[in-house]
Amino acid sequence: MQPITILLFFLSYFIVLFGISYFMNKKSGSSNDTFFKANSKSPWYLVAFGMIGTALSGVTFISVPGAVEANQFAYFQFILGNAIGFVIVATVLLPLYYRLNLTSIYTYIEQRLGYFSYKTASFIFLLSRTIGSAFRLYLVVLVLQHFVFDKFGIPFSATVLISLGLIFAYTYKGGLKTIIITDTLQTVFLVSSVFFTIYFVCDSLDFGLSEAITQIDNSKYSKIFFFEDFIGSGQHFVKQILGGIFVTIAMVGLDQDLMQKNLSCKNIKEAQKNMFTFTGIFVVINLFFLSVGALLYLYAAKNNIPVPMLDGAVRTDLLFPEIAFNHFALVPAVVFLLGLTAATFATTDSALTALTTSFCIDFLGMEKKEETKNTVKTRHLVHIGFSLAIFVVILIFNSLTNQSVVKLIFKVASYTYGPLLGLFAFGILVKHRSVKDKLVPFICLLSPAITYLISMNSGIDAEAPKLIPYAFAEELIIVNGLITFIGLFLISKKEQTI
């Protein structure tokens, strides 16, 4: 597939999104209520389907298949934990948010714990989501840079800026109302791409459906459940399930991005329908992604295709695009590009809208003000500001690391989302105690620092024994949340009752 073909496809894709944005804005205008809540009229089935694209992202599309050789299907244990977490979000957190009629979910913290706690929770989200969104977009921009823009002599920074500029252009007016539609379309592209990729790889390997299942099952990649070495292995079933549950509660249930879509439904029953439907599709789609990974490695082995190198390091993230662009025919390559683009930009456009919403409501108090031309203009400026923030983080990330992105995102989440987990847990579970509000920011700063020290001094290493002989995986977020919870309890007192 020639770079000019990829570039033309990329531009055509955005022309479609611009068309949708124009049509939606022409009908509904660009009010703050439309941007923040889609006028609370989003059909639950569109939200459920569109959330698939938001939740999966380009990380799932590339890194999950790429990690199959090293981790087999162990990631599916984490997905099962995610499913349990989604059920908890739907049955515990969503009813709370709807009962309080929240636009920003962090206003609950203000009602329950106080002003400084509220600002701290919102700031943690802004930091976490900016970093997470930057990581996800970085992965796709890296692919585009490696396979397209390097051929035209365009620098990496320009590629990032172009991508963010395009996303900004179709989201800054319609916000959530536009994204509900564009994400639905992009999820169609994403899901279709997965199934078509499986078909094309199977056809190249001369596998029928039943033979493909048999080959994957008989391969070295297909092991799902790992019960060996609870202390030393990060892939152990219990660790992955627990990590999946609490990462989901924190990164979905306590995250303005995905909750904003749920809160745009007409009522709590429709929002819960959305979550339960989304959960079922999410589990199945991830199983297909892992299957794609196994098939890609079987294809690579048969055709003697090495895992690509970048900056002197093996990059399993690049195996899928390497095969798609350089070994598939034109149609399979276009299908891959369609899925990758859809997965990534469905995540980034949604995050950009959520970041703008949270800052406008939590820090500028826009929900409490009468809407004017000035408030709409301010919202546009905030939208630009977060676009630039993501741009800067991507450049920093590109200069500092070449780790597998999927691992790094959840590692970062363990530190940034942990305090949110502790704040909401304390607010919901501890009913009759109030905290010293001004001390909460220090607790939320201290708990990730302690968690980091625990992580650095734990693990199994025969040559250099660690202080804590236990290998943490994604369940590290539980430790972080628990430290925050204990800290909040220590600075709390029992409320006086009259």
Side-chain angles (χ1 to χ4, degrees):
M1 193 174 185
Q2 295 299 313
I4 189 65
T5 306
I6 300 174
L7 185 60
L8 289 174
F9 170 86
F10 188 66
L11 294 175
S12 300
Y13 183 89
F14 274 98
I15 289 173
V16 173
L17 296 183
F18 290 145
I20 294 172
S21 176
Y22 174 79
F23 177 76
M24 296 301 299
N25 295 332
K26 188 176 181 180
K27 290 184 65 177
S28 60
S30 182
S31 70
N32 286 338
D33 188 54
T34 298
F35 187 95
F36 297 148
K37 299 181 71 172
N39 307 115
S40 299
K41 294 180 180 178
S42 301
W44 69 267
Y45 46 88
L46 289 184
V47 176
F49 196 65
M51 278 179 61
I52 297 297
T54 303
L56 292 178
S57 81
V59 173
T60 308
F61 201 86
I62 295 180
S63 285
V64 169
V68 163
E69 184 175 45
N71 302 324
Q72 301 173 279
F73 277 28
Y75 183 67
F76 195 67
Q77 300 173 121
F78 184 77
I79 295 302
L80 294 177
N82 291 158
I84 298 171
F86 288 135
V87 172
I88 294 171
V89 170
T91 54
V92 177
L93 293 175
L94 273 180
L96 173 67
Y97 299 153
Y98 266 88
R99 187 172 70 249
L100 298 175
N101 192 29
L102 303 180
T103 299
S104 167
I105 62 175
Y106 307 113
T107 52
Y108 165 74
I109 296 296
E110 182 179 31
Q111 296 173 29
R112 177 63 186 86
L113 301 180
Y115 175 84
F116 289 98
S117 301
Y118 164 47
K119 299 300 181 184
T120 301
S122 182
F123 177 78
I124 290 170
F125 162 72
L126 294 175
L127 177 65
S128 303
R129 181 49 76 174
T130 300
I131 293 173
S133 298
F135 284 167
R136 288 168 170 87
L137 184 58
Y138 162 79
L139 179 59
V140 174
V141 171
L142 189 69
V143 170
L144 293 172
Q145 186 69 32
H146 185 68
F147 291 98
V148 182
F149 291 100
D150 277 344
K151 306 295 189 296
F152 296 104
I154 297 174
F156 179 81
S157 58
T159 306
V160 178
L161 199 59
I162 291 168
S163 301
L164 283 167
L166 291 170
I167 293 169
F168 171 83
Y170 76 83
T171 58
Y172 83 100
K173 283 189 176 181
L176 190 60
K177 190 173 182 68
T178 299
I179 285 171
I180 294 296
I181 305 301
T182 56
D183 281 5
T184 300
L185 178 64
Q186 293 187 112
T187 301
V188 171
F189 294 153
L190 168 62
V191 173
S192 301
S193 179
V194 174
F195 291 124
F196 278 118
T197 297
I198 290 174
Y199 168 78
F200 289 128
V201 177
C202 288
D203 184 60
S204 299
L205 293 170
D206 296 321
F207 290 166
L209 179 60
S210 59
E211 186 177 359
I213 295 171
T214 301
Q215 290 290 338
I216 292 172
D217 186 51
N218 292 336
S219 72
K220 63 180 182 179
Y221 309 115
S222 62
K223 185 176 180 180
I224 296 176
F225 300 109
F226 291 75
F227 297 100
E228 305 84 10
D229 191 13
F230 174 75
I231 299 296
S233 173
Q235 295 183 351
H236 192 278
F237 176 79
V238 174
K239 294 181 181 182
Q240 290 293 311
I241 288 289
L242 289 175
I245 292 171
F246 285 94
V247 165
T248 296
I249 292 172
M251 294 184 69
V252 176
L254 308 181
D255 184 283
Q256 178 66 25
D257 186 358
L258 288 169
M259 286 299 97
Q260 188 170 350
K261 287 188 172 68
N262 283 276
L263 295 174
S264 73
C265 293
K266 296 177 182 178
N267 53 55
I268 179 60
K269 288 186 178 180
E270 293 213 347
Q272 288 177 322
K273 282 182 188 177
N274 152 56
M275 281 299 296
F276 293 135
T277 304
F278 160 77
T279 300
I281 299 173
F282 180 83
V283 171
V284 173
I285 288 296
N286 272 281
L287 185 58
F288 277 109
F289 271 113
L290 289 166
S291 300
V292 167
L295 288 169
L296 287 172
Y297 277 106
L298 291 173
Y299 181 90
K302 180 180 178 180
N303 293 281
N304 297 315
I305 302 171
V307 177
M309 303 279 290
L310 184 64
D311 297 329
V314 174
R315 289 300 303 265
T316 58
D317 296 336
L318 297 178
L319 177 65
F320 196 174
E322 168 66 26
I323 292 174
F325 290 142
N326 295 329
H327 299 275
F328 281 169
L330 178 62
V331 173
V334 169
V335 166
F336 164 80
L337 186 60
L338 186 64
L340 176 64
T341 306
T344 300
F345 292 107
T347 301
T348 309
D349 61 18
S350 177
L352 197 53
T353 300
L355 289 165
T356 301
T357 298
S358 179
F359 189 84
C360 286
I361 292 174
D362 298 331
F363 287 93
L364 302 182
M366 203 169 284
E367 192 179 29
K368 301 174 184 177
K369 299 176 181 178
E370 182 180 351
E371 183 172 325
T372 64
K373 289 183 178 180
N374 284 336
T375 59
V376 173
K377 182 179 179 180
T378 299
R379 191 195 77 214
H380 291 167
L381 292 174
V382 172
H383 210 56
I384 293 172
F386 278 108
S387 299
L388 293 175
I390 291 174
F391 170 72
V392 171
V393 173
I394 289 175
L395 295 187
I396 293 172
F397 180 63
N398 186 56
S399 67
L400 293 180
T401 182
N402 60 5
Q403 293 184 51
S404 174
V405 176
V406 70
K407 291 182 180 180
L408 189 58
I409 284 176
F410 290 121
K411 183 178 180 180
V412 170
S414 298
Y415 297 114
T416 58
Y417 278 89
L420 278 181
L421 192 62
L423 283 167
F424 275 86
F426 188 89
I428 293 170
L429 299 176
V430 182
K431 296 295 185 182
H432 302 295
R433 296 184 73 88
S434 59
V435 297
K436 293 180 180 178
D437 188 35
K438 290 184 178 180
L439 295 180
V440 170
F442 297 101
I443 296 296
C444 292
L445 187 63
L446 189 61
S447 59
I450 295 174
T451 305
Y452 176 77
L453 290 175
I454 291 173
S455 176
M456 290 297 99
N457 290 281
S458 63
I460 306 299
D461 190 337
E463 295 182 1
K466 300 286 188 176
L467 184 64
I468 304 172
Y470 175 87
F472 283 99
E474 281 75 24
E475 83 280 12
L476 189 64
I477 194 171
I478 303 173
V479 175
N480 199 347
L482 184 60
I483 293 171
T484 304
F485 186 95
I486 293 171
L488 293 174
F489 192 85
L490 292 175
I491 62 168
S492 69
K493 62 180 180 179
K494 193 169 183 180
E495 292 177 343
Q496 299 294 323
T497 56
I498 300 176

